[in-house]
Amino acid sequence: RSLVHETLVSYRVNRGQRKLQLLSLFLHSYQSDSLQLKPNKEMKANLSLDLIADILSRLPVKHLLCLRCVSKLWRSLIDDPDFIHLHLRHSLDSRTNHTLILKNTDLHTADLASLGPFAKLEHPLMSYNHGVEIQGSCNGLLCIRNIVEDMAIWNPSTRKYQVLPFLNSCKGYVCGFGHDPIADDYKVVKIIQLGGADGKPLESEVKVCSLKRNRWRKIQDIPCVSSFPVANGVFSSGALHWVLTQKLDLSEENTIVALDLATESFREVPQPEYERMINQLNVGVLGGCLCVVANHGDARVDLWVMKEYGVKESWTILFSLVSEDVIGSLRFLKPLAYSRCGNQVLLEHDKINLFWYDLEKKKADDVWVPGMPFSYETEVCLQSLVSLNVKRRQQNGEDNRDFKKM
């Protein structure tokens, strides 16, 4: 009933009285009897498919998976790529249907809007009691890896997954996961560090595996190396972003490098004009925008947001924190998400607690929910219907033929 009421209120504001009546008819028109749902005849006569799709796009994934049983027509509609995209866009624009995942030994998940209760999330990879690492999140898909380097792309909402071809493990690498909007493909990227021992120069190579090709291949070299430990790539505006070190000048440590997933080419991202010397720099994403967390020691942390991607002048300080604002040090802060109304930001602090920062009151409030592990890493995952069922080429495994030298 609460779901019905909330959706009715939303539609009253956005769609007018006539569509409100149709929506009310729709939401109350099917009956549940042992999960056998039967649409009302009056509903069939009054609602067009476009209006049904518009209404359904506002519902959580778990309800849509049940509504696939209403009829073959509805199942076809909900499985349609255009509807999946419509649902995805509505969730992103309205800041709804987001999940917060806490990674300890196990994965724990809760709805981002309520932040509780947390429940264990079962993943598809064999883990040998060591759990999995989350390499990235994009449009409701997670890239996960276990201790023996098995990797998979997984939709926790639909429980569908695709195991990637095995790539020989290496001593050091960083990953990234994102969406190529031109090819409508999802890609996993590994930046592998080579050399650096016995006087050898630092080198790196980059390999990509996409859902459509389902094989690893080399792409152009990157003009930077990793100074481990380095966080995995952050996806924003069609590109993955890392903070790396310039090869030609190893004193240039805080270079923000972007990999465009459509062209598979690297570029440097212009940075803000920092007021103080930076002790540590991290990249993140907030509300779809690229952001940087500039740590000036334990004294102060600035969170910058790039309002217009690629434009240096669009960097804006969203807020600053000093040591008195939080309990403990300011060593590590990770921005996670805006609140639905947009006046608060959820942050992970030193991998031991969460807090909401109120942008108007300039105040931090700790978050504690029963079932939360003592220490954890965090990831925000959209609840979506995005499918892994794409047409793939026949080649599997590793392929070097697409490698192009700069």
Side-chain angles (χ1 to χ4, degrees), residues 74-122:
W74 279 30
R75 180 170 186 155
S76 176
L77 186 152
I78 293 171
D79 291 345
D80 186 87
D82 289 337
F83 174 78
I84 293 173
H85 180 73
L86 177 67
H87 183 267
L88 179 67
R89 291 311 317 168
H90 181 268
S91 297
L92 291 171
D93 294 342
S94 62
R95 295 176 182 163
T96 56
N97 300 325
H98 285 74
T99 297
L100 179 65
I101 298 175
L102 305 184
K103 189 269 173 185
N104 187 265
T105 302
D106 299 313
L107 300 179
H108 303 264
T109 180
D111 184 75
L112 184 62
S114 61
L115 284 182
F118 280 90
K120 186 176 179 180
L121 179 63
E122 299 291 347

Side-chain angles (χ1 to χ4, degrees), residues 29-77:
S29 65
Y30 63 84
Q31 302 175 357
S32 178
D33 181 12
S34 300
L35 293 181
Q36 295 180 2
L37 305 177
K38 299 180 180 180
N40 184 287
K41 291 182 179 179
E42 187 179 359
M43 179 199 68
K44 286 184 176 180
N46 286 279
L47 294 181
S48 68
L49 279 179
D50 286 344
L51 182 56
I52 292 176
D54 193 21
I55 296 169
L56 291 178
S57 70
R58 301 163 190 273
L59 299 179
V61 172
K62 62 181 180 180
H63 293 284
L64 293 174
L65 294 177
C66 292
L67 291 173
R68 291 174 76 250
C69 304
V70 169
S71 67
K72 291 182 179 179
L73 179 63
W74 279 30
R75 180 170 186 155
S76 176
L77 186 152

Side-chain angles (χ1 to χ4, degrees), residues 225-236:
V225 293
S226 306
S227 298
F228 292 96
V230 174
N232 286 317
V234 170
F235 179 74
S236 175

Side-chain angles (χ1 to χ4, degrees), residues 81-214:
D82 289 337
F83 174 78
I84 293 173
H85 180 73
L86 177 67
H87 183 267
L88 179 67
R89 291 311 317 168
H90 181 268
S91 297
L92 291 171
D93 294 342
S94 62
R95 295 176 182 163
T96 56
N97 300 325
H98 285 74
T99 297
L100 179 65
I101 298 175
L102 305 184
K103 189 269 173 185
N104 187 265
T105 302
D106 299 313
L107 300 179
H108 303 264
T109 180
D111 184 75
L112 184 62
S114 61
L115 284 182
F118 280 90
K120 186 176 179 180
L121 179 63
E122 299 291 347
H123 61 79
L125 290 182
M126 190 174 295
S127 61
Y128 306 103
N129 297 322
H130 290 281
V132 295
E133 298 289 338
I134 298 177
Q135 307 296 296
S137 173
C138 181
N139 293 345
L141 302 182
L142 293 176
C143 178
I144 57 175
R145 172 184 65 86
N146 64 14
I147 195 172
V148 294
E149 299 293 330
D150 296 325
M151 298 185 73
I153 299 175
W154 168 44
N155 186 328
S157 298
T158 62
R159 299 184 181 182
K160 303 295 184 181
Y161 67 96
Q162 171 65 39
V163 176
L164 301 180
F166 183 77
L167 180 65
N168 291 333
S169 61
C170 16
K171 291 183 179 180
Y173 65 86
V174 291
C175 277
F177 173 62
H179 180 241
D180 173 356
I182 304 301
D184 190 20
D185 199 4
Y186 290 87
K187 296 180 178 180
V188 180
V189 179
K190 277 189 177 184
I191 301 177
I192 304 165
Q193 185 164 301
L194 308 172
D198 300 326
K200 295 180 180 179
L202 291 171
E203 295 291 339
S204 61
E205 67 177 15
V206 186
K207 293 190 177 183
V208 174
C209 182
S210 72
L211 272 179
K212 287 186 177 180
R213 295 195 178 197
N214 197 36

